[in-house]
Amino acid sequence: MPTSRPRRPPETDGERFAVIDPATGEAFDEAPDQQPDALDAVIDRAHEAWRGWRADPATRATALRAAADAVEAAGADLAPLLTREQGKPLAESYAEIARTAARLRYFAELDPGPQPIADGRPVRSEVRWRPLGPVAAIVPWNFPLQLAAAKFAPALAAGNTMVLKPSPFTPLATRLLGSVLSTALPEGVLTVVTGREPLGARLASHPGIRHVTFTGSVPTGRAVAAGAAASLTRVTLELGGNDAAIVLDDADVERIAERLFWAAFRNCGQVCMAVKRVYAPARLYPHVVEALARCAKAAVVGAGLDPGTQLGPVNNAPQLARVERYTARALADGARVVAGGHRLDRPGYFFAPTILADVPSDSPVVTEEQFGPVLPVLPYRTVDEAVEAANDTGFGLGGSVWGTDLDRAEAVADLLECGTAWINHHAELSLAQPFAGIKDSGVGVAGGPWGLYGNLRPFVVHRPEEARPTEA
Ligand code: NAD
């Protein structure tokens, strides 16, 4: 049963691995390096806990509301730890914690009650939604808590239990979150495991798991799907993006520049649905490039714990090397640096916010997901050409259109091949909306009631209508 005292996260006798502060590039703590064979006992406990947890929706909803309160109350412990291991400004860590609590509250109120089937036959048929069992959640390092909550809030609300594995780059805030949630949830309902590969691979392919919900890169998503296929386990994959923003020729450049800039650079550009390419009409092109460069030069880059920081470091050394590689290749391809373009001369994984102009459309910084503080700006001649370029990608997460005539902008947005399109903003999601990337951006639907049903299976009961008593 839930306790008001947090349960300590499970310790292991074995190895631990270092956790790096990206603002210094140095280790500041360690996390348990749990081995794949430890999962058998964890998943057994998740099955045990499922018996009680699936029984009563009202009890679950009460526990999830209490969990949301506990997360908010722990904000002052969670936020600095999240910033320390992830790099984002402290205010953004607090916002992430608020979104974690909001998700718990939202899903606590969703009730997948029975649904009658009306087909004209004299049969009373009903769909009753049943939970699946233990769910495995594997998440990346860019929003460790909020992306975990996007998985555990609907899964637990649906009556499942969960084993949650954070990225080895950001294990600590998630471990603390698990401990905080244990004050409101029965033992075994949510277990956080930390460790390096092949822990995730084993979790994704474990035969005791009934649903694997993964957020991360496309190559890992493919590996997860292949692993889950062995036991034909259901998968939900939320993968990468290469979102385009199309600026129309009636856009008020000065008015939109800052919002467009932050849609690309928030969390140091490490957002799956960040703006990763800007298409501007030839007439406005110099103005758009110059306005974005002005924002890049004005952004305050620093350690996330320093007051006033707007942009933290890149999260980890391989990711920083990736950003440098894409930028160097763009320059070799003929791009022009208008702002940034280099690492900062200080310890840690800092890269100056970078605006690239005159980038060839086939340079990898345009065609692939670079996932960092770099933004290529490309000119176009006709709107048709811009839409074609925006859609000419293997990804399909989001996209946006920026202009003054909202009807015209919406008509252009309607042509984007992706899961979510925005007008004059980007990457702001509603808890109540379906979130579903197309093409390489994902499989399945998260968010809103659709996210809840993704964690349920339909069970159908048919019974004949009551026989009428025969008249005497
Ligand atoms: P990643 O794919 O390298 O890792 C994601 C998670 O998978 C981590 O926990 C990692 O430890 C684990 N993992 C690694 N190898 C594994 C394996 N073989 N089997 C199972 N698990 C394994 O991704 P990342 O670098 O941590 O995150 C960045 C990526 O995540 C970007 O592509 C970004 O677009 C994507 N992302 C997508 C969304 C979305 O909602 N669509 C949201 C955030 C991030």
Side-chain angles (χ1 to χ4, degrees):
M1 287 309 292
T3 61
S4 56
R5 297 226 316 270
R7 284 188 295 276
R8 291 165 64 82
E11 290 300 337
T12 51
D13 307 332
E15 300 270 308
R16 298 175 75 78
F17 61 93
V19 182
I20 310 281
D21 177 346
T24 64
E26 288 176 8
F28 74 99
D29 206 341
E30 297 180 325
D33 196 12
Q34 286 172 266
Q35 298 304 303
D37 56 13
L39 290 174
D40 293 347
V42 170
I43 293 168
D44 280 352
R45 276 203 303 281
H47 273 279
E48 278 294 308
W50 185 42
R51 291 168 198 268
W53 183 249
R54 69 186 170 199
D56 179 24
T59 307
R60 284 204 298 275
T62 303
L64 293 176
R65 283 183 214 113
D69 294 344
V71 170
E72 273 173 354
D77 295 324
L78 284 165
L81 185 58
L82 178 59
T83 288
R84 199 82 199 277
E85 66 178 357
Q86 204 285 331
K88 64 185 64 182
L90 191 58
E92 288 184 27
S93 288
Y94 274 105
E96 181 163 346
I97 289 154
R99 287 193 286 269
T100 300
R103 284 207 156 99
L104 282 162
R105 290 209 178 91
Y106 174 80
F107 284 102
E109 305 312 320
L110 289 193
D111 177 12
Q115 291 164 353
I117 299 172
D119 62 1
R121 292 182 308 142
V123 175
R124 201 190 309 159
S125 302
E126 191 172 86
V127 184
R128 296 171 190 172
W129 292 96
R130 298 276 202 252
L132 304 168
V135 175
I138 301 175
V139 294
W141 44 259
N142 56 341
F143 292 94
L145 303 188
Q146 155 184 349
L147 293 176
K151 307 222 173 280
F152 64 66
L156 301 190
N160 305 292
T161 54
M162 175 167 280
V163 180
L164 165 65
K165 194 203 80 66
S167 165
F169 291 115
T170 52
L172 298 175
T174 310
R175 259 170 78 75
L176 179 57
L177 178 69
S179 172
V180 167
L181 292 171
S182 74
T183 60
L185 303 176
E187 185 157 15
V189 165
L190 176 73
T191 306
V192 176
V193 294
T194 60
R196 294 173 288 192
E197 281 314 299
L199 187 68
R202 177 62 184 149
L203 182 58
S205 60
H206 197 287
I209 291 296
R210 303 283 171 77
H211 174 205
V212 181
T213 174
F214 170 84
T215 299
S217 64
V218 174
T220 313
R222 287 193 209 285
V224 163
S231 41
L232 291 178
T233 305
R234 183 190 294 197
V235 289
T236 302
L237 305 174
E238 296 176 56
L239 306 178
N242 190 11
D243 290 10
I246 299 176
V247 177
L248 296 178
D249 57 7
D250 66 346
D252 181 339
V253 177
E254 288 305 314
R255 202 152 163 221
I256 63 167
E258 198 163 331
R259 187 181 275 210
L260 181 56
F261 173 81
W262 285 110
F265 286 85
R266 186 170 73 93
N267 203 23
C268 216
Q270 302 163 134
V271 179
C272 56
M273 51 184 170
V275 169
K276 297 197 175 99
R277 308 170 276 155
V278 172
Y279 293 92
R283 186 177 68 78
L284 292 181
Y285 184 71
H287 192 177
V288 171
V289 168
E290 185 266 324
L292 289 171
R294 223 185 308 133
C295 295
K297 289 173 186 163
V300 181
V301 182
L305 290 177
D306 289 349
T309 290
Q310 292 177 300
L311 215 72
V314 171
N315 173 257
N316 58 71
Q319 185 60 30
L320 178 63
R322 182 183 162 98
V323 170
E324 286 187 286
R325 224 171 30 244
Y326 276 99
T327 306
R329 170 68 191 272
L331 298 188
D333 288 344
R336 181 165 54 93
V337 171
V338 193
H342 54 82
R343 280 183 77 158
L344 294 192
D345 185 18
R346 57 177 284 176
Y349 307 142
F350 291 94
F351 197 85
T354 296
I355 303 294
L356 297 175
D358 307 336
V359 193
S361 58
D362 60 353
S363 187
V365 78
V366 178
T367 58
E368 298 174 15
E369 184 192 38
Q370 45 84 16
F371 212 59
V374 178
L375 184 63
V377 188
L378 296 99
Y380 70 81
R381 280 166 304 177
T382 66
V383 173
D384 286 349
E385 187 186 296
V387 169
E388 197 178 320
N391 291 338
D392 184 18
T393 167
F395 294 102
L397 205 52
S400 57
V401 181
W402 303 68
T404 304
D405 179 340
L406 296 182
D407 289 339
R408 178 172 170 239
E410 186 172 343
V412 176
D414 200 44
L415 301 172
L416 295 178
E417 291 166 4
C418 56
T420 309
W422 297 269
I423 291 147
N424 291 340
H425 65 126
H426 197 112
E428 292 163 34
L429 295 176
S430 158
L431 284 177
Q433 77 159 83
F435 181 62
I438 60 169
K439 300 194 257 183
D440 279 355
S441 289
V443 171
V445 184
W450 301 269
L452 188 74
Y453 287 112
N455 284 284
L456 291 162
R457 67 179 175 86
F459 170 63
V460 182
V461 176
H462 298 288
R463 60 175 272 184
E465 292 288 5
E466 296 296 336
R468 286 167 198 255
T470 45
E471 286 181 27

